[in-house]
């Protein structure tokens, strides 16, 4: 459901305008399946944001785990983060969009 939401957002939909029916259809599932996983769109977005947080922590951990603060490890972590932010830009926009309400 999260990937389906991200695909819809990448096509230009605003998160507020997405319906659960659209999300479920894009995922090839039913509305019932959506509600089996999430109680509402807010909970879906929280789960997606949690995945992004785990991604960021994982990328940073590789650098932070190096006691010598190796420059190559830092560069690798920053490149990983940059690519991840580009890949998940639609989802990040939805998080920013919803942070205002």
């Amino acid at each position: 459901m999260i990937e389906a939401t991200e695909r819809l957002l990448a096509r230009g939909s605003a998160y507020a305008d997405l319906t659960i029916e659209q999300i479920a259809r894009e995922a090839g599932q039913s509305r019932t399946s959506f509600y089996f996983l999430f109680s509402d769109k807010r909970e879906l977005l929280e789960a997606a944001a949690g995945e992004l947080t785990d991604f960021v922590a994982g990328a940073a951990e590789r650098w932070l785990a190096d006691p010598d603060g190796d420059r190559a490890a830092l560069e690798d972590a920053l490149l990983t983060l940059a690519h991840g932010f580009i890949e998940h830009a639609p989802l990040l926009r939805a998080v920013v969009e919803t942070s205002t309400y």
Side-chain angles (χ1 to χ4, degrees), residues 1-3 5-6 9 15 38 41-55 88 91-92 94-95:
M1 296 288 177
I2 292 171
E3 290 174 2
T5 302
E6 199 163 1
L9 292 168
Y15 185 76
F38 306 103
K41 285 186 353 182
R42 178 195 53 80
E43 193 173 287
L44 176 139
L45 190 58
E46 285 178 358
E51 288 182 9
L52 287 174
T53 299
D54 292 344
F55 165 76
H88 298 290
L91 194 52
L92 292 167
V95 170

Side-chain angles (χ1 to χ4, degrees), residues 8 19 70 72 81 96:
L8 291 167
T19 66
D70 180 18
L81 288 169
V96 170

Side-chain angles (χ1 to χ4, degrees), residues 3-62:
E3 290 174 2
T5 302
E6 199 163 1
R7 286 192 302 271
L8 291 167
L9 292 168
R11 292 184 202 139
S13 297
Y15 185 76
D17 295 338
L18 290 179
T19 66
I20 290 170
E21 180 65 35
Q22 288 173 304
I23 295 168
R25 191 176 333 115
E26 178 69 24
Q29 302 292 320
S30 66
R31 283 175 52 94
T32 304
S33 296
F34 178 94
Y35 287 113
F36 182 74
L37 299 168
F38 306 103
S39 61
D40 55 21
K41 285 186 353 182
R42 178 195 53 80
E43 193 173 287
L44 176 139
L45 190 58
E46 285 178 358
E51 288 182 9
L52 287 174
T53 299
D54 292 344
F55 165 76
V56 169
E61 185 176 310
R62 289 195 306 266

Side-chain angles (χ1 to χ4, degrees), residues 55-65 70-85:
F55 165 76
V56 169
E61 185 176 310
R62 289 195 306 266
W63 174 63
L64 294 173
D70 180 18
R71 180 183 172 109
L74 173 60
E75 288 175 359
D76 180 57
L78 292 174
L79 282 172
T80 299
L81 288 169
H83 288 292
F85 289 156

